[in-house]
Amino acid sequence: MKKIKLILFDVDQTLIYGNEAALYYKQYPKLLEQTISTLRGVTMGEAKNIADEYRQQYNGRGEVALESLSKGNTVWHDALCSLETDPFIQKMSHVHNLLNTLKFKGYSLGVITDGPTSQAKKLLSSAQVATQLFSIFIGWERGKKMPKGGTSDVYKKIIEQTKLQPSEILMVGDSLETDILPAHACNMNVLHIHPTSNTNYPTIPSIETLTTYLKNHEK
C-alpha cells in the first residue's frame, strides 16, 4: 500500500462506537418506523413491515422508503437531529488521542457520513473528539440527498478537490455498501471496521488498531 496522505472516517460505529453508543443507535430503527408511519399515514406495524422490506432490499438502508415521499428525506433528517446524544455517548479519549497522533504523524483527516452534519458534530462533541482535527467534514445537509447514499459520487469529488491520487486516500468505515464498496470503486484504499475478518477487503475490529495497521501495510 502506497503512503497514505488522507484518511477519511465514517462516524456511526466507526469513530463513535461501544456499548453506550450502541444504545444510542438502537433508537434509529424505531424512529424510522415512526417517520414512515407519520408520512404514509399507516400504523406502526405497517410502517415496520415497509421499513423491513426496504432494509432487506437495500442492505439495511430502510430510509430509502422515504426517498419518493414529499419532504420524506427532510423529515428523517430532522428526526435524527432531534435525538439527544449526551445521555448515551461517553467521553472517548482514546479516539481523540488516536486522531491527534495521526495528525501529528502528518496525515490529513476527514469525516464523511450519511448522518446529518449537525448530528455528527454533536456525537463527536459528546465524545469529546475535536472536530478541528478534520480538514474535511462532509455530512448530510438538510434538504439535500445523503452524500454517500451507496454511490461513489462524493468519493470522486474528494479526489478532484484534494488533487490526491486515489491510492493516497484511505476510507475507514463499518458499512460495506456506503463506505467500502463506493470508495473501492474509485480505487481508494479501504479498511472495513468489522468484528470478523473480510476476505475481500482489509478488516480491523475497531479504529484502535488503525496505527498498527498503517505501520504494517504502508511502504
Side-chain angles (χ1 to χ4, degrees):
M1 185 170 71
K2 190 176 179 180
K3 174 66 178 178
I4 298 298
K5 294 183 179 179
L6 170 63
I7 305 176
L8 301 170
F9 296 94
D10 180 44
V11 175
D12 292 354
Q13 301 291 10
T14 298
L15 289 176
I16 305 298
Y17 62 97
N19 293 334
E20 292 84 5
L23 294 175
Y24 171 81
Y25 296 131
K26 281 183 178 180
Q27 299 176 94
Y28 285 14
K30 184 61 68 176
L31 187 64
L32 175 61
E33 291 157 17
Q34 289 172 344
T35 304
I36 292 173
S37 174
T38 299
L39 288 173
R40 289 201 170 189
V42 297
T43 66
M44 284 295 293
E46 291 170 322
K48 183 180 185 307
N49 290 336
I50 292 170
D52 286 345
E53 288 177 8
Y54 278 86
R55 286 166 182 148
Q56 184 175 7
Q57 186 175 354
Y58 293 95
N59 296 313
R61 296 181 61 235
E63 67 274 7
V64 176
L66 299 171
E67 291 183 356
S68 63
L69 298 175
S70 176
K71 299 184 180 179
N73 279 1
T74 300
V75 174
W76 176 230
H77 174 283
D78 292 350
L80 288 171
C81 289
S82 72
L83 293 176
E84 292 299 325
T85 58
D86 285 340
F88 301 96
I89 308 303
Q90 306 299 311
K91 182 178 180 180
M92 301 181 71
S93 300
H94 59 291
V95 175
H96 176 86
N97 293 339
L98 169 64
L99 297 173
N100 208 37
T101 297
L102 292 171
K103 192 84 171 177
F104 180 78
K105 288 179 178 290
Y107 295 101
S108 293
L109 307 178
V111 160
I112 174 170
T113 174
D114 267 345
T117 302
S118 60
Q119 190 70 354
K121 290 182 177 180
K122 189 160 61 172
L123 283 164
L124 292 168
S125 176
S126 293
Q128 297 185 33
V129 176
T131 57
Q132 293 89 341
L133 292 168
F134 305 105
S135 57
I136 295 173
F137 205 107
I138 299 174
W140 184 16
E141 302 298 337
R142 192 176 191 272
K144 297 183 179 180
K145 291 184 177 180
M146 293 180 178
K148 291 187 287 187
T151 73
S152 59
D153 292 351
V154 69
Y155 296 98
K156 292 176 183 176
K157 290 179 182 177
I158 289 173
I159 293 169
E160 293 171 1
Q161 292 171 0
T162 61
K163 301 189 185 311
L164 293 173
Q165 296 297 315
S167 57
E168 296 175 316
I169 305 174
L170 173 66
M171 177 63 202
V172 183
D174 69 296
S175 170
L176 274 176
E177 184 188 40
T178 59
D179 300 326
I180 304 305
L181 295 179
H184 185 263
C186 294
N187 297 313
M188 289 182 180
N189 296 289
V190 295
L191 191 55
H192 190 202
I193 301 291
H194 199 271
T196 58
S197 180
N198 187 319
T199 57
N200 296 316
Y201 305 98
T203 309
I204 56 174
S206 75
I207 63 168
E208 294 174 49
T209 58
L210 178 56
T211 52
T212 300
Y213 175 86
L214 291 170
K215 181 179 179 180
N216 292 338
H217 290 82
E218 284 188 329
K219 296 180 181 179

